[in-house]
Amino acid sequence: MGEAMIWKAARDRLQVLNRFGWENFLDGWDPLPFTLLNYWEWGIARLENAAARAALAEFVVARTLEAEGAGPGEVGRGYDLTLRSGVKIKVTSESCVRDWPDERLASIAFDVAPRWCWDERRGRPENALRRPADIYVFALLVHAPRAAVNPLDIGQWTFYVAAARSLDAQEGAAALITLRTLESRAKSYDPSWRGPLHQRQLKLELESIAAALRGGR
Protein backbone atom coordinates (compact mmCIF):
# COMPACT_ATOMS: atom_id res chain seq x y z
CA MET A 1 0.00 0.00 0.00
CA GLY A 2 1.42 3.35 -1.03
CA GLU A 3 1.91 6.29 1.36
CA ALA A 4 -1.01 8.22 -0.18
CA MET A 5 -3.34 5.25 0.32
CA ILE A 6 -2.19 4.83 3.94
CA TRP A 7 -2.93 8.50 4.69
CA LYS A 8 -6.33 8.24 2.98
CA ALA A 9 -7.25 5.15 5.02
CA ALA A 10 -6.19 6.90 8.24
CA ARG A 11 -8.17 10.05 7.34
CA ASP A 12 -11.29 8.01 6.50
CA ARG A 13 -11.04 6.16 9.80
CA LEU A 14 -10.70 9.41 11.75
CA GLN A 15 -13.76 10.80 10.00
CA VAL A 16 -15.74 7.85 11.35
CA LEU A 17 -14.27 7.65 14.85
CA ASN A 18 -13.58 11.28 15.78
CA ARG A 19 -17.06 12.20 17.05
CA PHE A 20 -17.75 14.08 20.27
CA GLY A 21 -21.54 14.37 20.43
CA TRP A 22 -21.97 18.09 19.89
CA GLU A 23 -22.00 17.77 16.07
CA ASN A 24 -25.28 18.95 14.53
CA PHE A 25 -27.09 17.02 11.87
CA LEU A 26 -26.93 18.95 8.59
CA ASP A 27 -29.06 19.77 5.60
CA GLY A 28 -26.24 20.37 3.18
CA TRP A 29 -24.30 23.08 5.02
CA ASP A 30 -27.21 24.18 7.22
CA PRO A 31 -27.17 22.84 10.80
CA LEU A 32 -30.37 21.26 12.12
CA PRO A 33 -31.51 21.75 15.74
CA PHE A 34 -30.46 18.30 16.95
CA THR A 35 -27.06 16.74 17.56
CA LEU A 36 -25.26 13.43 17.54
CA LEU A 37 -25.59 13.39 21.33
CA ASN A 38 -29.38 13.60 20.92
CA TYR A 39 -29.17 10.51 18.72
CA TRP A 40 -26.99 8.65 21.23
CA GLU A 41 -29.51 9.44 23.96
CA TRP A 42 -32.35 8.31 21.71
CA GLY A 43 -30.79 5.30 20.06
CA ILE A 44 -28.23 3.74 22.36
CA ALA A 45 -28.72 5.07 25.90
CA ARG A 46 -30.95 2.05 26.63
CA LEU A 47 -28.26 -0.58 26.14
CA GLU A 48 -30.68 -3.46 26.60
CA ASN A 49 -32.77 -2.64 23.53
CA ALA A 50 -32.11 -4.88 20.54
CA ALA A 51 -30.12 -2.51 18.32
CA ALA A 52 -27.94 -1.11 21.12
CA ARG A 53 -27.43 -4.57 22.64
CA ALA A 54 -26.25 -5.93 19.27
CA ALA A 55 -23.68 -3.13 18.89
CA LEU A 56 -22.54 -3.55 22.50
CA ALA A 57 -22.11 -7.30 22.08
CA GLU A 58 -19.99 -6.71 19.00
CA PHE A 59 -17.89 -4.14 20.89
CA VAL A 60 -17.31 -6.48 23.86
CA VAL A 61 -16.31 -9.36 21.57
CA ALA A 62 -14.02 -7.10 19.52
CA ARG A 63 -12.20 -5.85 22.62
CA THR A 64 -11.97 -9.36 24.05
CA LEU A 65 -10.51 -10.81 20.85
CA GLU A 66 -8.43 -7.73 19.94
CA ALA A 67 -10.21 -7.84 16.58
CA GLU A 68 -10.76 -5.18 13.94
CA GLY A 69 -14.26 -3.95 13.14
CA ALA A 70 -15.66 -2.80 9.81
CA GLY A 71 -13.94 0.18 8.27
CA PRO A 72 -15.40 2.78 5.90
CA GLY A 73 -17.06 1.12 2.92
CA GLU A 74 -17.11 -2.32 4.55
CA VAL A 75 -20.60 -2.25 6.03
CA GLY A 76 -22.71 -5.06 4.60
CA ARG A 77 -19.83 -7.45 4.09
CA GLY A 78 -21.67 -10.19 6.03
CA TYR A 79 -19.33 -10.45 9.02
CA ASP A 80 -18.47 -8.05 11.82
CA LEU A 81 -14.86 -8.54 12.95
CA THR A 82 -11.54 -9.78 11.66
CA LEU A 83 -8.81 -11.38 13.75
CA ARG A 84 -5.17 -10.59 13.04
CA SER A 85 -4.93 -14.05 11.48
CA GLY A 86 -7.60 -13.06 8.95
CA VAL A 87 -10.34 -15.22 10.50
CA LYS A 88 -13.74 -13.54 10.06
CA ILE A 89 -16.16 -13.31 12.98
CA LYS A 90 -19.92 -12.79 13.01
CA VAL A 91 -21.48 -11.66 16.30
CA THR A 92 -25.18 -12.18 16.96
CA SER A 93 -26.98 -11.46 20.24
CA GLU A 94 -30.15 -12.12 22.21
CA SER A 95 -31.32 -11.60 25.78
CA CYS A 96 -33.37 -13.46 28.35
CA VAL A 97 -34.30 -13.50 32.01
CA ARG A 98 -32.95 -16.31 34.13
CA ASP A 99 -35.73 -18.67 35.28
CA TRP A 100 -37.96 -17.98 32.30
CA PRO A 101 -40.23 -20.98 31.68
CA ASP A 102 -38.93 -23.62 29.27
CA GLU A 103 -41.45 -22.64 26.60
CA ARG A 104 -40.17 -19.07 26.50
CA LEU A 105 -36.51 -20.07 26.65
CA ALA A 106 -37.16 -22.43 23.74
CA SER A 107 -38.22 -19.46 21.62
CA ILE A 108 -34.86 -17.68 21.89
CA ALA A 109 -33.08 -17.90 18.53
CA PHE A 110 -30.02 -16.28 16.94
CA ASP A 111 -29.63 -15.04 13.38
CA VAL A 112 -27.41 -17.33 11.29
CA ALA A 113 -28.98 -16.69 7.89
CA PRO A 114 -26.76 -17.07 4.82
CA ARG A 115 -26.23 -13.77 2.99
CA TRP A 116 -25.80 -12.42 -0.48
CA CYS A 117 -22.11 -11.52 -0.37
CA TRP A 118 -20.59 -8.81 -2.50
CA ASP A 119 -18.19 -9.86 -5.23
CA GLU A 120 -15.58 -7.08 -5.17
CA ARG A 121 -13.91 -8.25 -8.37
CA ARG A 122 -17.11 -8.23 -10.42
CA GLY A 123 -18.80 -5.37 -8.56
CA ARG A 124 -22.06 -7.23 -7.93
CA PRO A 125 -23.61 -9.74 -5.51
CA GLU A 126 -22.39 -13.31 -5.68
CA ASN A 127 -24.55 -15.92 -7.36
CA ALA A 128 -25.26 -17.95 -4.22
CA LEU A 129 -26.16 -17.35 -0.61
CA ARG A 130 -23.48 -18.26 1.92
CA ARG A 131 -22.16 -17.53 5.39
CA PRO A 132 -19.09 -15.34 4.81
CA ALA A 133 -17.86 -15.50 8.42
CA ASP A 134 -15.54 -18.29 9.56
CA ILE A 135 -16.78 -18.32 13.16
CA TYR A 136 -20.01 -17.22 14.81
CA VAL A 137 -20.13 -15.80 18.34
CA PHE A 138 -23.52 -15.94 20.06
CA ALA A 139 -23.81 -13.42 22.90
CA LEU A 140 -26.65 -13.94 25.38
CA LEU A 141 -27.51 -11.23 27.92
CA VAL A 142 -28.95 -13.00 30.97
CA HIS A 143 -30.09 -11.48 34.26
CA ALA A 144 -31.95 -12.65 37.33
CA PRO A 145 -35.72 -12.03 37.34
CA ARG A 146 -35.64 -9.48 40.16
CA ALA A 147 -32.31 -7.87 39.26
CA ALA A 148 -31.90 -4.86 37.05
CA VAL A 149 -30.51 -5.69 33.65
CA ASN A 150 -27.06 -4.14 33.23
CA PRO A 151 -25.38 -4.86 29.88
CA LEU A 152 -22.17 -3.26 31.20
CA ASP A 153 -21.88 -6.11 33.74
CA ILE A 154 -19.87 -8.76 31.90
CA GLY A 155 -21.17 -11.29 34.42
CA GLN A 156 -24.59 -10.94 32.81
CA TRP A 157 -23.28 -12.14 29.44
CA THR A 158 -22.90 -15.75 28.31
CA PHE A 159 -21.22 -16.73 25.04
CA TYR A 160 -21.37 -19.64 22.62
CA VAL A 161 -19.03 -20.15 19.67
CA ALA A 162 -19.43 -22.21 16.50
CA ALA A 163 -17.48 -22.71 13.28
CA ALA A 164 -19.50 -21.60 10.27
CA ARG A 165 -18.69 -24.81 8.42
CA SER A 166 -20.35 -26.76 11.23
CA LEU A 167 -23.38 -24.50 10.97
CA ASP A 168 -23.47 -25.25 7.25
CA ALA A 169 -23.16 -28.99 7.84
CA GLN A 170 -25.68 -29.32 10.67
CA GLU A 171 -28.10 -26.44 10.13
CA GLY A 172 -27.99 -26.12 6.34
CA ALA A 173 -29.51 -22.87 5.10
CA ALA A 174 -31.49 -22.26 8.31
CA ALA A 175 -31.99 -18.58 9.11
CA LEU A 176 -32.08 -19.10 12.89
CA ILE A 177 -30.55 -21.37 15.50
CA THR A 178 -32.24 -21.77 18.87
CA LEU A 179 -30.58 -21.43 22.24
CA ARG A 180 -31.59 -25.02 22.99
CA THR A 181 -29.79 -26.22 19.86
CA LEU A 182 -26.67 -24.24 20.80
CA GLU A 183 -26.69 -25.78 24.27
CA SER A 184 -27.11 -29.26 22.82
CA ARG A 185 -24.35 -28.83 20.24
CA ALA A 186 -21.97 -27.41 22.86
CA LYS A 187 -22.49 -30.53 25.02
CA SER A 188 -21.58 -32.81 22.12
CA TYR A 189 -18.10 -34.04 21.31
CA ASP A 190 -17.86 -31.77 18.27
CA PRO A 191 -14.98 -29.33 19.00
CA SER A 192 -16.45 -26.81 16.54
CA TRP A 193 -19.08 -25.83 19.14
CA ARG A 194 -18.17 -24.26 22.49
CA GLY A 195 -20.19 -22.87 25.38
CA PRO A 196 -21.55 -21.62 27.62
CA LEU A 197 -18.54 -19.37 28.13
CA HIS A 198 -17.68 -16.44 30.34
CA GLN A 199 -16.13 -13.45 28.55
CA ARG A 200 -12.70 -14.30 29.98
CA GLN A 201 -12.87 -17.77 28.35
CA LEU A 202 -14.00 -16.49 24.98
CA LYS A 203 -10.65 -15.62 23.40
CA LEU A 204 -8.98 -18.95 24.22
CA GLU A 205 -11.90 -21.04 22.97
CA LEU A 206 -12.37 -19.02 19.81
CA GLU A 207 -8.67 -19.09 18.99
CA SER A 208 -8.75 -22.87 19.42
CA ILE A 209 -11.48 -23.14 16.78
CA ALA A 210 -9.63 -20.66 14.55
CA ALA A 211 -6.43 -22.75 14.78
CA ALA A 212 -8.39 -25.87 13.83
CA LEU A 213 -9.84 -24.04 10.83
CA ARG A 214 -6.40 -22.93 9.67
CA GLY A 215 -5.06 -26.46 10.12
CA GLY A 216 -7.90 -27.90 8.05
CA ARG A 217 -7.26 -25.67 5.04
Side-chain angles (χ1 to χ4, degrees), residues 115-156:
R115 310 291 185 191
W116 291 108
C117 300
W118 187 256
D119 187 330
E120 293 287 352
R121 184 172 60 85
R122 298 181 179 179
R124 61 179 175 80
E126 294 179 357
N127 294 325
L129 291 165
R130 67 182 179 91
R131 295 184 175 100
D134 300 305
I135 299 175
Y136 276 68
V137 176
F138 305 95
L140 181 65
L141 179 61
V142 187
H143 66 99
R146 292 180 178 82
V149 59
N150 180 13
L152 299 181
D153 180 0
I154 292 299
Q156 291 191 9

Side-chain angles (χ1 to χ4, degrees), residues 179-190:
L179 176 60
R180 291 304 193 208
T181 300
L182 278 177
E183 291 173 337
S184 175
R185 301 272 191 239
K187 290 176 182 176
S188 71
Y189 292 102
D190 187 341

Side-chain angles (χ1 to χ4, degrees), residues 95-97 99-109 178-180 183:
S95 66
C96 73
V97 176
D99 299 334
W100 267 358
D102 287 343
E103 302 80 32
R104 193 167 182 187
L105 285 172
S107 69
I108 296 175
T178 66
L179 176 60
R180 291 304 193 208
E183 291 173 337

Side-chain angles (χ1 to χ4, degrees), residues 29-68:
W29 291 102
D30 297 325
L32 298 174
F34 47 92
T35 66
L36 182 59
L37 179 59
N38 297 143
Y39 161 69
W40 288 342
E41 292 170 340
W42 174 272
I44 61 176
R46 290 179 54 84
L47 295 176
E48 67 274 15
N49 74 39
R53 185 194 67 236
L56 181 60
E58 184 180 323
F59 171 79
V60 169
V61 173
R63 287 303 177 96
T64 300
L65 302 179
E66 300 176 353
E68 288 292 327

Side-chain angles (χ1 to χ4, degrees), residues 110-114 131 171 173-177:
F110 296 85
D111 178 14
V112 292
R131 295 184 175 100
E171 303 301 321
L176 299 171
I177 186 170

